[in-house]
Structure formats: C-alpha cells, structure tokens
Amino acid sequence: MSAILLQGAGAATSLSPFNSIDSSKLVAPSRSSLSVRSKRYIVAGSDGTNKSFGASSLVARRSEPLIPNAVATKADTAASSTSSKPGHELLLFEALQEGLEEEMDRDPHVCVMGEDVGHYGGSYKVTKGLADKFGDLRVLDTPICENAFTGMGIGAAMTGLRPVIEGMNMGFLLLAFNQISNNCGMLHYTSGGQFTIPVVIRGPGGVGRQLGAEHSQRLESYFQSIPGIQMVACSTPYNAKGLMKAAIRSENPVILFEHVLLYNLKETIPDEEYICNLEEAEMVRPGEHITILTYSRMRYHVMQAAKTLVNKGYDPEVIDIRSLKPFDLYTIGNSVKKTHRVLIVEECMRTGGIGASLTAAINENFHDYLDAPVMCLSSQDVPTPYAGTLEEWTVVQPAQIVTAVEQLCQ
Amino acid sequence: MIPELDFPGGKVGYTSEMKFIPESSSRRIPCYRVLDEDGRIIPDSDFIPVSEKLAVRMYEQMATLQVMDHIFYEAQRQGRISFYLTSVGEEAINIASAAALSPDDVVLPQYREPGVLLWRGFTLEEFANQCFGNKADYGKGRQMPIHYGSNRLNYFTISSPIATQLPQAAGVGYSLKMDKKNACAVTFIGDGGTSEGDFHAGLNFAAVMEAPVVFICRNNGWAISTHISEQFRSDGIVVKGQAYGIRSIRVDGNDALAVYSTVRSAREMAVTEQRPVLIEMMTYRVGHHSTSDDSTKYRAADEIQYWKMSRNPVNRFRKWVEDNGWWSEEDESKLRSNARKQLLQAIQAAEKWEKQPLTELFNDVYDVKPKNLEEQELGLKELVKKQPQDYPPGFHV
C-alpha cells in the first residue's frame, strides 16, 4: 500500500476557549497557544481511493515548521523507502508503544503512570522500554490504588502535564469511577474553562480467554454517559497507534479502549508520522446490502462472517465505529442511507451497552431510511463465566452474525 | 547487638518476646501553640516572627472573612443565594496558612478554605459573583455557591466529592517535581474526609513519589453530625502520618502564629527536601456544616457558644496585635463597617448582574463543542423561543 502524505496548514478550525491560563504560574514555558490548526493527512488506499483523516484539534506548537503546500509525490515516497514494501510490520501492542514513545519524544509533558508500567513494561508490554528511555519519574510505577493514580493524573494534568494513565485491566478502573466522572469529566466545565484535563486513560478490556468475570468487563458501557470525556476503541495496529497519538494530543480527557485478545495482531503500518481522527469511524469493507456496525474485537468476528456472507452472495458494508463517544453519525448515516439495514455487533451486554445507545441514535436520526428494525447482537446480561464453552456462548460468534444478516436481508 | 533478619523492605530486628503494639499511646501527641488564650506569646516558644505589616494584614483578613461569612450566610437565609458554607472558628487556619505560602504554591481546597483565596487577592465582588452564579462568575454559573476556583491565583476549582483533591494533590506535587519548580502543592481536608479511601491513597502516593505536598487536615471535631469519636479510633490524624512515612505535626489551629510558623516550615521542607508533610490543625467548627444544616440538633448549644466566645481565634490574635500597639478600636470598627458595606454592595451588584446565557450550558464540556451538543443546544433554543412563558424572566438564549 503506497502512502501519499499531504501536509498542509488547514484553516484554524476553532479557537481554544481557555485563554486565561497564566502559563508562567502553572505550566512550563514551551506550551500555551491560542490558535488551533488542523493538520490533514491523506492516505491513499490500495484501491486508489483517497481516505482523508482530518485531525482532531491540535494545539499548534511554535517549534514545528509549517509547510503550507508541501506535497510529497509518489516518486519521492518510493525513493525514501528502503524496504521493498513501504512501512514496517509490528504487533498491536508495539504500535501502541510506538505511538506513545513518539508523543513522549515530541512533548516533554507527556508522562505515563500506572501499576507495573515502569521497568516491568506494563502487563501487556505497551510501555516496554519507556522507563529505561525516559526515566522513572516520567514512566511512573504507582502503588495499587486506581482512584489515587487517576486522581493524581488529573491533578498533574491541571498543572500542565499530559498523563497517560494505564489501568492494568479496564475493569479495575471501576475503582477510579469517582475521579473519572466527577473530576475528569467535569472540572473543565465547572471551573468555567479555567482548568483543562488532557489525560488519556487506557488499558485492556473486553472478554479474554477464561479470565473470569472481573477481568472481562466492558467499561465503555458504564462510562459512556459521563459528559466531558471522549471514548475511542482501537482494533488494528494502524488505528491503535493513530488513536493513541491523537488521544494524547487532545485537550479533552480521552478513554482509549484496547482489547486483551488483540495485542498480538500484526500489520504493516506507515513509517511516516500519522494520527487518526478521534471522532471518525473506519470503513472496513464498503458494501451495498447492509450496514454492520462494530468495534474492537468484534470487528474480526464480523469480517469472518463477511467472508461467509460474500460466498452466499451478500455484500455487507462493515464499519468499525472506533469513536464510542461521540458516535460518528456522519459516516454511519451515509451508510444507512445507502443500505437501509443495520446490524450492530458488540461485546457489551444487551442492557445499557454501546449497542443500545447506538440503536437509539440511529432510530432517532435515520428512521426514515430504515427498511428493517435495527438489530443488535450483544452479549447476554450475565457475568462472563470462566468455563471455556460458557464463555464462548456469551460472546457473539460469526455464525450468529451470518444468520442475523440473512434474517435482516430477507 | 540486636539480632537482625533480612526481608524485602530491609533488615528488621527480632525478639522472642511476643508483644503487641498498643492501639493507642499512653499520651496523646501534644499540640504546638505559641499564643495563649489571652493572646500572649508563651515564653520560650519556637516561632517565626511576624512583622507588623504582615500581622495587621493577617488580622484584617481574618476579620474580613468573619464579616463575609456572616453576610453571605444571612443572604442565603434571605433567599438571595441558594447555599452557603461558613468557616466560622477556622479563620486562623484559613488566613495564617495562606500567609505562609508563596503565590506559586498550588492550593487544592476542600471547601472550607475561602480565606486562602481571599488572601491571594480574590475580591469580595468575585466571591459574590460565584455565589450568585452570574455572568461574571469565573465558573460560569456551573457550580454551587462557595465552589470557587481561580487558575490565576493557583486555587483549584472546588469539587464537591470529599477527598478527591488528595490524590490530585499528589499529582500536582509530581508535576511540580518534574518541572523542578520552587513550589509545592497544598491541600486541605477535614477530619471526616480522612476516612475516605482517597486520604490513604493520596498520602501513600505522595510519600512514595517523594512529592512536595503539604497535607493540612482541619480537625474541627464534626463531620456534619458525626463527631470525631465516631469517625476514627486513632489519636486524631497526626498519628497516621508516620504510617505512610510522612513527617507530621499537630498544631493549635486557632493560634494564628502557630499556624503560620508550622505551614511556613512545612512548605520549606516539602520544597527543599521534596517530601510530603502532614499538619493536623486542631480547631472547632463553630458554624453549622452549611446552610442546609442546623447543628443544634446534634450538639449542645453551650458547646458551640463556648468555642465561639472563649476559644475564638480572631479575638485571640487581635489581642496580640493590639498589645503590640498595631491595632486599635477605631481600626476595628472602621474595618468591619467598610467590609460590611463593601459586601452589601457586592451582593447587590452580583444579584442584579445578568445570568449566564443558554449557550454556556453547552460550552466547555469539551474544548470544541461536538455535533451532538450543538444539536441539543439548537433544540433547547427553539423550545425556549416557542414557549418563552415557561422560562424565567431574564432568562436569555
């Protein structure tokens, strides 16, 4: 896949609402800027179509050179690439680590905190090597208290740092709910915009392999109501790195959901720097007959089902929604308007999950375009059992997806 | 030679005598004080001398805080503001601590420390604006009264849940440590708040992180209706410091000079030695918990009266300042009447000031308003336009 990168200084998309921070008091000198510029990176797909990923609002940094109309031509890119296939291959956890390391190199305010993130490298090795490179203070091993280190991250963020807070398992962040809901989500609002909380809260979640109920939580369900936070879920090494970088650069608190079973996915990603838009969904497979909305691990179950569906003559459009809060209703809406049928495949439980909210949003906004009721495949409202067979039945499987599509497309 | 064993965590001696450490020490940790109840310096006291200028300013601010509390409380009772919370009895803690800090020190209050903000220069008008939630409020009308915040004055916006500011203070200390600043985090908590898990978490983290944080616990005897005997079984909060490896001290919170010296010293230690320090300030909550409380329901009226009259921190400091010839009756009546006048004017002005427009309901949830909020704002605007009679007069879009 060849990559053509266009880097331009887009028009200022918006002015940062907080301009009363006295940087000399609270923040080390290199930050502070009032204008926001959006950088656009365009990646050409293998089928020649241009997918544009507009960047979410970035704080312009004076140290970066602005290249108003630089266009790298195909020839230049090919010449600069040394391997036969452009880009480099890595696993998802390595992509997360690469994104994190690049941001830590770029901005000295980015720091990491969590349990065993230092020399142990993190329980899923996302922070491997970072403590050696950046030191024990910037990659901080904390005592075991999720509410404490989340609160700590919030306090540090309010004084100018950009912490990346790791929950060893997303489920443990239930202990940090108070700080996340009452402070993280709220303090920018209740302080009248005086304080910002640019934290990233990340960690592995979802149903793994026989990890038991407490380690199989889908926290996106619980957090989705909290005003003031953004939620994204990565699913490929490409979007993992891109979303990590975008989340760190965002001025809002962002919760980045990773999945325990996806850390070893392999993909070739570009050598050049890129970020993914936090609010955009990803078109995985364009199609005509039905819109299948999914995210995280279920994307792979859907794609597996898609193979079977294609053999049976169906043409499903698969969208990885990626942005769990807010939903990318633009991409989703365009798809619904085309196919008129929607199937949501998620890992959340039936009650109160992302699928439930998404169903409501689609019904509310695109009711006129639907030829069939929105169908949502979710896990049952049960704690995830340990036994392998029981666990398998609690997660939506490709066969169910195929049946659902056949049903919807009758 | 005491025989020693090796364990993770270092060498520890051993003994064959089975002896339990008693649950409490035979003697309570004494409380550090400098001024006696008559406002005279106790002979041979350690304390950091305070100049006339500083002492007079401290006294003025303590008296102003008293007037402010009285008038805002009355305003709530008259229905002009919805809620208020006084610091009566804790004026020395508020003002003397603030006086001992540098303006770069980041303050994370609980909610009974408006005096710190007053000291740093928040005007009576700014206090009034927040209480009325009007257009001039820095919080843009989004928080209850008394939830002040000012990034300019390094005073974090107050958040209602108890003790959440303690781990955040560890984070601020961490941030200051990373930036190698000559500043520390200073955070306040009441006696009740120390029961929250965040107290344990915040202290433990600050200690492990070797972060420059000064933890100030206002032990005022009551957590709404819960007396400290029902809150913990330890000898107050000071003894908990050592459990976290934190240097601690107990001080007479109603003694402005003692509070000043303690906080000054603690701050220096925190910054130069990069360590947290715990200060327990003994005091009494003379007022009700808030305007939603009537404390005579759960405590004796004469207990309240005793503390209000005989153990009053403002009167005590005033005696010392007067004895030095730095303050007079005339100064006193002038200060109080000026403060009262200024406050009444501030309240009248704040009351008349426009309230926030509808658009502020949707701003600052994120840095940039997302589409769903834009839609919700539009929907609400249309609703208000269609049915203006259902919305209060003066409510503008």
Side-chain angles (χ1 to χ4, degrees):
Chain A
M1 181 167 101
S2 64
I4 298 172
L5 292 169
L6 181 80
Q7 191 173 338
T13 50
S14 68
L15 284 176
S16 170
F18 50 96
N19 49 13
S20 55
I21 293 179
D22 183 351
S23 54
S24 66
K25 285 224 154 63
L26 290 178
V27 175
S30 61
R31 274 173 55 70
S32 105
S33 161
L34 294 179
S35 70
V36 167
R37 288 204 174 84
S38 74
K39 281 196 194 153
R40 303 189 138 273
Y41 295 88
I42 298 182
V43 178
S46 53
D47 56 357
T49 57
N50 277 340
K51 304 174 223 167
S52 135
F53 298 111
S56 49
S57 40
L58 298 171
V59 177
R61 292 174 57 75
R62 289 187 213 104
S63 55
E64 287 179 346
L66 290 175
I67 311 165
N69 292 302
V71 179
T73 60
K74 216 165 184 167
D76 285 355
T77 315
S80 62
S81 162
T82 49
S83 57
S84 54
K85 199 177 179 186
H88 55 286
E89 196 179 63
L90 41 49
L91 305 179
L92 195 144
F93 79 87
E94 292 171 331
L96 287 166
Q97 195 237 34
E98 206 174 80
L100 184 49
E101 193 175 339
E102 281 176 19
E103 291 305 299
M104 289 179 80
D105 276 327
R106 180 180 176 270
D107 183 350
H109 295 95
V110 181
C111 56
V112 180
M113 52 187 74
E115 295 153 11
D116 299 308
V117 296
H119 294 283
Y120 188 74
S123 50
Y124 289 90
K125 301 289 171 253
V126 172
T127 53
K128 190 166 111 168
L130 297 181
D132 288 331
K133 182 170 173 184
F134 297 105
D136 288 331
L137 204 55
R138 257 183 103 182
V139 184
L140 191 65
D141 272 331
T142 63
I144 304 176
C145 188
E146 284 69 15
N147 207 31
F149 61 72
T150 306
M152 192 176 144
I154 291 166
M158 285 165 84
T159 39
L161 292 187
R162 305 185 81 89
V164 177
I165 300 165
E166 173 172 314
M168 191 182 277
N169 183 291
M170 280 308 227
F172 306 160
L173 292 183
L174 287 170
L175 288 152
F177 212 123
N178 187 14
Q179 289 284 356
I180 293 174
S181 169
N182 278 327
N183 291 306
C184 193
M186 283 190 196
L187 275 164
H188 184 235
Y189 185 78
T190 57
S191 69
Q194 293 182 86
F195 295 97
T196 54
I197 310 170
V199 297
V200 176
I201 298 172
R202 49 157 293 269
V207 179
R209 295 231 189 282
Q210 297 191 263
L211 296 178
E214 297 94 338
H215 293 80
S216 309
Q217 297 270 32
R218 282 78 88 193
L219 243 62
E220 58 271 25
S221 278
Y222 306 139
F223 287 156
Q224 62 176 322
S225 253
I226 302 173
I229 55 146
Q230 271 188 265
M231 305 199 307
V232 289
C234 63
S235 50
T236 66
Y238 180 83
N239 64 34
K241 179 177 174 183
L243 290 173
M244 169 75 91
K245 288 170 72 89
I248 292 172
R249 295 186 194 188
S250 170
E251 292 304 314
N252 298 313
V254 179
I255 306 184
L256 169 57
F257 290 89
E258 300 154 17
H259 197 286
V260 280
L261 295 181
L262 298 184
Y263 282 122
N264 289 326
L265 279 181
K266 203 185 282 195
E267 190 183 0
T268 301
I269 65 170
D271 290 326
E272 298 82 9
E273 192 182 30
Y274 69 93
I275 64 173
C276 291
N277 189 322
L278 289 175
E279 294 100 20
E280 261 182 25
E282 193 178 310
M283 178 67 69
V284 183
R285 182 192 188 281
E288 298 290 324
H289 290 164
I290 181 170
T291 300
I292 306 182
L293 302 172
T294 184
Y295 68 94
S296 192
R297 182 173 168 235
M298 289 296 104
R299 166 190 176 137
Y300 295 93
H301 280 201
V302 168
M303 289 312 288
Q304 211 180 316
K307 274 195 220 140
T308 311
L309 286 167
V310 165
N311 287 339
K312 292 191 172 195
Y314 294 95
D315 186 20
E317 178 155 288
V318 180
I319 296 177
D320 181 337
I321 62 172
R322 246 170 44 182
S323 176
L324 306 181
K325 185 182 170 81
F327 293 135
D328 179 2
L329 290 177
Y330 179 73
T331 306
I332 293 170
N334 284 344
S335 180
V336 177
K337 290 175 187 172
K338 182 170 60 166
T339 68
H340 313 297
R341 283 161 220 281
V342 180
L343 173 67
I344 300 169
V345 180
E346 60 163 353
E347 219 175 45
C348 285
M349 287 171 246
R350 158 66 85 229
T351 303
I354 297 290
S357 300
L358 192 51
T359 303
I362 293 171
N363 279 328
E364 206 172 73
N365 289 288
F366 308 116
H367 179 254
D368 282 338
Y369 299 95
L370 292 169
D371 284 346
V374 174
M375 195 187 284
C376 182
L377 297 178
S378 336
S379 294
Q380 306 85 342
D381 288 318
V382 299
T384 309
Y386 165 80
T389 42
L390 294 178
E391 186 185 69
E392 200 177 294
W393 290 332
T394 198
V395 173
V396 178
Q397 300 298 333
Q400 286 168 270
I401 302 171
V402 172
T403 310
V405 170
E406 289 175 324
Q407 214 178 324
L408 271 174
C409 287
Q410 267 166 4
Chain B
M1 190 189 79
I2 302 170
E4 284 189 331
L5 290 173
D6 236 319
F7 274 115
K11 287 195 192 294
V12 60
Y14 68 87
T15 167
S16 296
E17 186 198 353
M18 180 173 73
K19 192 163 173 216
F20 285 78
I21 301 172
E23 62 278 13
S24 61
S25 150
S26 51
R27 189 173 165 244
R28 290 193 66 185
I29 303 285
C31 163
Y32 163 62
R33 75 159 24 179
V34 172
L35 286 177
D36 64 19
E37 287 305 335
D38 296 317
R40 281 190 209 105
I41 294 187
I42 297 167
D44 298 323
S45 300
D46 300 327
F47 72 104
I48 298 171
V50 164
S51 68
E52 174 180 349
K53 186 162 166 221
L54 183 59
V56 168
R57 178 150 195 255
M58 277 168 64
Y59 178 72
E60 285 176 335
Q61 297 263 297
M62 284 167 72
T64 305
L65 179 56
Q66 271 189 329
V67 180
M68 182 174 110
D69 270 348
H70 176 75
I71 294 192
F72 277 128
Y73 188 88
E74 290 304 310
Q76 193 277 344
R77 281 291 177 258
Q78 293 165 11
R80 295 163 87 180
I81 54 177
S82 66
F83 176 82
Y84 193 72
L85 200 157
T86 64
S87 311
V88 181
E90 301 182 48
E91 295 86 355
I93 292 179
N94 267 253
I95 301 296
S97 310
L101 300 174
S102 97
D104 290 332
D105 294 330
V106 180
V107 176
L108 294 93
Q110 181 173 305
Y111 48 58
R112 221 180 282 280
E113 304 91 14
V116 177
L117 203 48
L118 183 66
W119 179 270
R120 286 189 168 185
F122 214 57
T123 65
L124 298 176
E125 291 75 24
E126 288 171 318
F127 280 111
N129 289 333
Q130 198 284 332
C131 287
F132 281 90
N134 62 27
K135 212 163 174 194
D137 167 27
Y138 300 131
K140 300 186 189 160
R142 295 175 187 144
Q143 257 294 14
M144 287 172 77
I146 69 99
H147 287 63
Y148 315 111
S150 168
N151 59 347
R152 185 176 57 91
L153 300 176
N154 282 330
Y155 188 94
F156 274 23
T157 300
I158 292 171
S159 150
S160 310
I162 299 288
T164 52
Q165 68 277 10
L166 299 178
Q168 289 172 12
V172 171
Y174 167 76
S175 172
L176 295 171
K177 187 187 176 78
M178 281 253 264
D179 289 341
K180 297 199 173 64
K181 290 203 161 169
N182 177 3
C184 64
V186 180
T187 184
F188 292 83
I189 187 78
D191 43 279
T194 65
S195 295
E196 279 283 355
D198 274 355
F199 171 78
H200 160 81
L203 262 68
N204 192 36
F205 271 54
V208 171
M209 243 47 82
E210 291 168 15
V213 185
V214 178
F215 292 96
I216 299 179
C217 174
R218 297 176 293 95
N219 183 348
N220 64 19
W222 292 94
I224 306 189
S225 67
T226 307
H227 186 251
I228 44 175
S229 57
E230 294 175 314
Q231 194 69 249
F232 40 67
R233 283 299 145 92
S234 53
D235 171 17
I237 287 93
V238 64
V239 292
K240 296 183 183 183
Q242 203 173 51
Y244 297 105
I246 293 181
R247 198 172 289 173
S248 31
I249 189 169
R250 167 175 278 161
V251 63
D252 177 352
N254 287 0
D255 176 347
L257 287 184
V259 169
Y260 178 81
S261 294
T262 313
V263 176
R264 261 298 281 276
S265 312
R267 190 230 171 245
E268 291 311 315
M269 276 181 225
V271 176
T272 54
E273 294 178 54
Q274 292 288 292
R275 59 165 64 249
V277 182
L278 171 65
I279 306 175
E280 178 182 19
M281 298 192 178
M282 311 298 283
T283 182
Y284 186 83
R285 191 196 79 208
V286 173
H288 306 304
H289 166 71
S290 71
T291 49
S292 310
D293 175 45
D294 173 11
S295 59
T296 57
K297 285 203 167 79
Y298 49 80
R299 54 184 187 174
D302 50 14
E303 175 187 303
I304 304 171
Q305 198 60 5
Y306 164 71
W307 283 91
K308 187 172 179 178
M309 306 311 287
S310 323
R311 302 287 293 274
N312 186 313
V314 182
N315 291 349
R316 192 159 147 204
F317 192 56
R318 178 177 158 184
K319 285 185 197 144
W320 182 70
V321 176
E322 277 180 344
D323 284 348
N324 282 333
W326 300 338
W327 192 255
S328 68
E329 260 318 314
E330 206 192 311
D331 293 325
E332 180 74 16
S333 51
K334 208 167 25 158
L335 174 83
R336 287 193 185 259
S337 72
N338 280 344
R340 188 185 163 77
K341 203 180 342 160
Q342 205 185 335
L343 272 156
L344 290 173
Q345 283 172 349
I347 289 177
Q348 279 173 356
E351 203 168 32
K352 290 204 197 80
W353 208 312
E354 251 181 282
K355 292 283 190 268
Q356 302 289 343
L358 188 153
T359 191
E360 287 303 339
L361 181 61
F362 300 96
N363 283 343
D364 298 326
V365 181
Y366 295 98
D367 57 346
V368 173
K369 211 182 296 180
K371 217 167 265 148
N372 66 323
L373 287 185
E374 276 175 0
E375 284 169 12
Q376 291 174 15
E377 183 176 352
L378 231 84
L380 188 54
K381 276 190 182 154
E382 280 165 18
L383 195 62
V384 175
K385 254 189 218 128
K386 236 192 281 184
Q387 296 158 239
Q389 70 279 4
D390 290 338
Y391 293 89
F395 176 73
H396 36 247
V397 164

